[in-house]
Each structure stands twice: as structure tokens, then as C-alpha cells.
Amino acid sequence: MTARGRHYSLSLLPLLLGALAFLLVIGPRVLDPTNIAWLGEGDAATHYMGWAFFRHSPWTFPLGMNPSYGLELGNGIIFSDSNPLLAFMFKPFSAWLPDTFQYFGFWLLACFVLQAWFAWKLTGLLSSSVWVRLLGTGLFVFSPPMFLRMGGHLSLSGHFLILAALYLALRPGVEKRRLAWGALLAATALVHAYLLAMVALIWLADLATRTHQGTLSRRRAGIELAGLFLLVAFCCWQAGYFSVGGGTVAGGYGLYRLNVMSLVNPSGWSHVLRDIPQGPGDYEGFNYLGLGILVLAICAGVALLQGNTGLRRAMRNRWLLLVALIGLTLFSLTNHLGIGLLEVHYWLPKSLEQAANVFRAAGRMFWPVFYAIVFVVIFLVIRGNRPRAAACLLAIALVVQVLDTHAGWAGLRKNRMQPAASSWPTSMSDPFWASAAGHYSKVRTLMPQNQPENWLLTSQYALSHGLGTDGVYLGRMGTREIEQAQRRADQMLASGEYEADSLYILDSRAALLAAKTVHRQTDLLTRVDGLVVLAPGWKSCAQCRPFADETLDVQARLGERQVFNRANAMLTSGWGRVEDWGTWSEGMAAEVVLRVPPQARGIAIEAAAFIQPRHTSQRVEVSINGIAVLSTRLTRLQDNTLELPLTPAIREAMEVEGQVRVQFHLPDAISPKALGLGTDERVLGLGLKSLTVN
């Protein structure tokens, strides 16, 4: 075999390793482009929905506008995290693709293969030994932070982009650097903003380093800086980054941080190491190295103490890159420094905090540092040992890494290998929906907001019938646009005048308000398949099938048990999605509004409480129309009853207001995530099952 043939053969090894790791960790079912069963929840659902609407939308300029998915609230394809790079590639062929088509399985395969390829290139800077390079590549591939993102944030699984940036910054030559960096930055801009920020910072550090060292003239550096800046700006414009204005800034900096213990905190990703308690938002800073890397780090430390590894000299040559990585670390830690459950806060100017909120999930920004640490550990092991000894240490570390992180990726594989399906189940089965789709061009939610209740049902319905919708879930929405839409919604609910081309799906508060002002001679207000629907002009439409009105009143009769396992107008604020048994409160406060007969003397509420072994009680403080009636502590998950007397003072307040406002204050509400019980961030306290007026 010729030298070139051997080179090409060796190049296949990392690609094969990446493909095998994909089959082991993810499995082959996601490669079926018609299988969307594994995309049916959370962030992955909006990734698919964004693409599904985009493929059927007319071309726009900028290319990344997705007008039917989000309407005026925000509709850039980048903000549904639908991977514009692939969306732009596949949209021209939409007419030839199956009705159900997803490319996210191909993306995950590409993430594994390219992660292995650029890891191979990186380790090639350290050793020419095939075995050493291959084993080092395996350690980069079995990266818990990358695997974790494959559970939901699919575009953020593209960690190979970070490895590519590190390789370009560490390689000795400068040939074709504009082409290489330009292609990398453009591709990253079309994948995700967080990855773009990381890659761009590494590029700037490399550009400054080469200029400082004299390997790149100032003139060439200036041309590269200006040219690639314009290229990235153009790609961002086309992907829709600039479509939401002030909506790019959101709160969360300091909450979604890197915990100091993150590198050694497995958070469920180890069979051996125990989890370390952490703050409620620290899951975004998940950067567990893996037991294999931690064991190898001990060997690297020994090599460092023995000296002669060349690490110090290498760091001096790339000191600007080191400064950039230190900056990313400080940004990731935020000004709310977390050390396990301990938090140390230091002051930052409000202007800096607001700017930092553009990348509010700051813990993610540590990923380049994570991979730099892995690279340094492998560097020290290779330089501090003979090739055979280094290969043995790397092999042991890789075996330990794969076996121990199985605790985390086994669940990932189980989810991705669920039975294939080309559609998601829906509860919207009544013939009303098909009839309404022929009469309206849009389906809207009241109140307008990002990720409203039943957003997935709403967007599924809109997609299947070719309607536009604002019932969507996006990474960012225009702040001004949401405020305008909510003001318009308040005006419609107050006046009873709605847009004739839109079908409305109402939350419990909107249903309560709409019931007071709806024009019942022409408009239909009813409940269909558990959803409260307002159909403007329905009764004046000769082709629209008759459908009975529902009062949606909040009047409760004596002795009648009101259940909350379906949408109920009494649930005005602070309640989550309706489940088969009832609904959880979300946050520290919730409210129920109803009307009761004059002879009513009390209200009995059947409730659950969010009780766990590590959270054994829930305080519940209840007031009615602003008057305190009950303060208790619940210690049982089920079978809790709250007896609320309607005292003379309360009945007097009821007569003035015309309704009963039952307000719950829940100071002990907490999220399952904060207790180490998965990734659910909802702050839960009281589970409302039923209410009876006595």
C-alpha cells in the first residue's frame, strides 16, 4: 500500500469509531427520516415543528424567516433551534421528501463522526501513533456534556465545531486559514448562537496570537477580521438572528451557571461517583469530565510533576488563547458563584448583567474549556510516558469512561430507540377541528406568550391543516411584539371583538374574561376535546357545522364537585398543564376564582402536595378575597383536604367583588430538578384535584 493509501485508510478509523459510538449510544432508529416518535417532547418537539413549518413556507428574504410558526411574535428558524444549516439544505427538495421528514437523526450521526474526526486531528498534534490517537479520540467522543445535549438541545450537540476551532488555533501552520475559519464560522452561525460565540472567541484569540507572533501580517489579519466579520453577520442575518429585536436579551444570567464542582459532579452520569448537591439552575453548567478522564488526570498530574512535558512552553506560545479560556470560565461561573449548594455573590454593574443575559445559560460557555482540559490531560499523558505506556493508560481510561458514563447514556439510548412513528398522538379528534380549518387561516392562543399551555397540540393542528399559529415555543421572541400582542388580546377580551380570520384557543384566565363579553349571536365559545375555543363568526357561517355553546361560567353549585383534570375557567393563574388527575401549581402562588350561592358556608379542596424524601413538607397559606383563612403544613403526597370557611367578613367581600378569589401562597414550592430528580424545572407545591362548595 502506498503512503497516500495508508493515510486514507487511517483516516477512516476515526470515522468508523464515531459511527460505532453513535450506534452504541443513540442507536439506528433515529436515522429513519420518517420517524419522529423520539422528537415528541420538550425542545426536540419545537426543533421539528420549526422545520416542518419552514419546509412548507414560501421562500423569504432573509431566508430564515418562518412566518407561519410564530406569526408576529417571532419566527426566525434559528429561534426554534431547527438547525438552519440543514433546513436550508433540505428545503429546496421538500416536494420530493416524505410528508413526515426529519433530519435530526442524520445530524446526531454527523456530530459523532465529526467529533471523532476533529478529535483525531487534535490528537495528531500530539502523537503519530495510530493507537494513541484512536484511544485519545475515543475519550473526546465519550463526552458527557455532548451526550446530555442529545437528549433535547439537538443543535447544541455540535461540539465538533468547538474541537474544529481548537484544532485550527493549535495547529502550527497558517495555510488556507481564511478559508478554514470562514467555513467553520459560517457553518457555526447557521447552527447555534452559543456555539458561534465560543468558536468566534477562539478565532479572535488565534488571529491575535498569529499577528503577535508575526506569522500573520497586520494587513492580512485586518482583511481576515473584516471579511469574516461580514461573512458571519450575513449568515446570522439570513438565519433570522436579527428578527426579534430586544427579545434576544432574557433573564437568567447567574441562575444557569457553571458550578465550581461541575467537573467532578456526575449528576447521574456515573455508576461509581455520588452526585453532589447543586443549585436549581446548575444543570445548564453540566460539565462532568467522566471517571475515565478523572483517573487519567491523576496520571497526567504525575507526569506534570516529573517535568519535561513541554506544557509550560506550549501555553506560553498560546497565552492569548489561555486568556480567552479563562474569560469563558469567569463568564460561566457568573457573579453568583456556586460551590455545591454554597453561593457567593459579587456585584456587577446592571449594564454588564443585562449584556450577559444575551447568553443567559452561561454554564454552556465552559465547553471550550472542558475540551481544552481533556486535551491537556491527554497531552501530559502522551508527553510524560513512552508510547506503549501512554496507549495502555489511554485504553484503561477509555474503558472506564465508556462503562461508567453508561449510567447516563443508557437512558438516552432507551428514549432514542423507542418504537418508530411518523406522527404524534393528539387529543384533537372532534370533527369540529377539520371544519374550523376550512374557515380560518390562523389559530391563535389567548393569552399570547412564548410556550403557552397546549402549544404543541396547537402547532400540530396548525401544521396538519396548513394554518399559521402563534401557539409556539421559541428560544427567543420579540419583547415589543409580545407586549403589543398581549395589549391587543386584552382589548379583544374586553370588547368581544376578535380577528375574523383566526380561531382562538383560550387559557383559563382568558376563558373567564371571554365568557363575559362574547357575542353569542355570532361567535362560538365552547369546549372541544378539553380545549376552550372561541370561533369568531362561526354562527354566521353557513358551511360551519353546528356546535353547542358552553357557558364556561365559574358558578359552583352546592355539593357539586368541580374537578380539575381538564381546562377549567376557575383556574386563573399559577397553574400548570392539566393532567389526568388534576393540575400542579407552578411557582409560589396560585389562584382559583369562582362564584358560590349566597347560602354557601365553606369550600373543601382535595389536593396533592409535592412531597419527596428530601422535601418532606409543604406549607400552604390560603386567603379568600384577601382575607387569610388557613395556614397549614402538608406532609402527605396524596389524600389532603383543605377546609376553607366562608366567614361573615369573607361573604361581605364576596358581595362587593361578586366572586370568590381563593389565593394560595406556597413558600416551600420547589422543582424536581432542584432535588436531583431529573430535569423538570417546574416549581411545584400544591396539586389541585377537586373543589366542592358546602
Side-chain angles (χ1 to χ4, degrees), residues 382-395:
I382 291 174
R383 296 295 171 85
N385 298 274
R386 293 181 177 179
R388 182 170 294 181
C392 289
L393 291 174
L394 291 169

Side-chain angles (χ1 to χ4, degrees), residues 62 78 186 189-190 196 231-243:
I78 190 69
L190 296 177
L196 174 62
L231 174 64
V232 169
F234 178 78
C235 291
C236 290
W237 175 38
Q238 293 303 308
Y241 281 82
F242 309 130
S243 63

Side-chain angles (χ1 to χ4, degrees), residues 171-191:
R171 68 174 183 163
V174 294
E175 66 280 358
K176 297 183 180 179
R177 59 171 287 114
R178 286 186 205 167
L179 176 61
W181 275 114
L184 178 60
L185 287 165
T188 308
L190 296 177
V191 172

Side-chain angles (χ1 to χ4, degrees), residues 448-681:
Q449 59 183 298
N450 195 5
Q451 198 180 1
E453 184 180 2
N454 298 310
W455 74 268
L456 186 52
L457 277 175
T458 304
S459 57
Q460 274 184 265
Y461 167 66
L463 175 66
S464 63
H465 293 283
L467 310 178
T469 182
D470 65 0
V472 301
Y473 172 25
L474 297 176
R476 296 288 191 276
M477 279 186 172
T479 305
R480 182 178 62 254
E481 287 77 7
I482 289 181
E483 291 173 352
Q484 290 175 347
Q486 290 179 344
R487 285 196 297 270
R488 172 64 179 146
D490 285 332
Q491 293 170 359
M492 290 190 295
L493 289 167
S495 65
E497 302 292 338
Y498 300 89
E499 296 179 18
D501 65 348
S502 298
L503 176 70
Y504 294 88
I505 296 179
L506 284 60
D507 62 21
S508 53
R509 173 183 173 273
L512 180 66
L513 296 173
K516 300 176 182 177
T517 61
V518 63
H519 301 317
R520 297 191 181 276
Q521 296 82 9
T522 57
D523 300 345
L524 174 68
L525 179 64
T526 190
R527 194 189 313 269
V528 187
D529 291 329
L531 300 175
V532 178
V533 173
L534 194 149
W538 187 267
K539 296 177 182 177
S540 305
C541 169
Q543 294 77 31
C544 299
R545 63 188 297 271
F547 208 92
D549 271 303
E550 187 170 325
T551 61
L552 300 174
D553 201 356
V554 292
Q555 179 69 45
R557 300 181 180 87
L558 286 176
E560 182 180 38
R561 184 171 179 262
Q562 296 283 335
V563 294
F564 299 100
N565 58 358
R566 67 175 190 171
N568 192 306
M570 294 182 182
L571 302 172
T572 54
S573 65
W575 304 101
R577 64 178 182 269
V578 173
E579 302 181 42
D580 292 340
W581 57 270
T583 180
W584 282 111
S585 62
E586 291 191 10
M588 301 292 184
E591 184 180 67
V592 172
V593 173
L594 65 155
R595 287 199 291 271
V596 301
Q599 61 270 37
R601 291 293 177 266
I603 299 172
I605 292 176
E606 181 188 359
F610 186 59
I611 302 297
Q612 299 294 327
R614 293 176 55 190
H615 196 74
T616 57
S617 67
Q618 287 282 354
R619 283 177 293 164
V620 180
E621 299 168 2
V622 187
S623 62
I624 297 180
N625 294 64
I627 301 171
V629 294
L630 179 68
S631 179
T632 187
R633 185 181 295 271
L634 304 181
T635 58
R636 293 184 298 184
L637 176 63
Q638 302 289 350
D639 302 323
N640 299 294
T641 301
L642 306 179
E643 297 287 352
L644 311 178
L646 299 178
T647 63
I650 292 174
R651 288 203 296 274
E652 183 177 340
M654 287 162 40
E655 291 176 5
V656 173
E657 297 192 31
Q659 59 187 9
V660 178
R661 293 182 294 107
V662 184
Q663 298 157 319
F664 301 89
H665 179 53
L666 307 162
D668 296 332
I670 192 170
S671 71
K673 177 66 182 178
L675 297 175
L677 304 174
T679 60
D680 191 344
E681 300 176 60

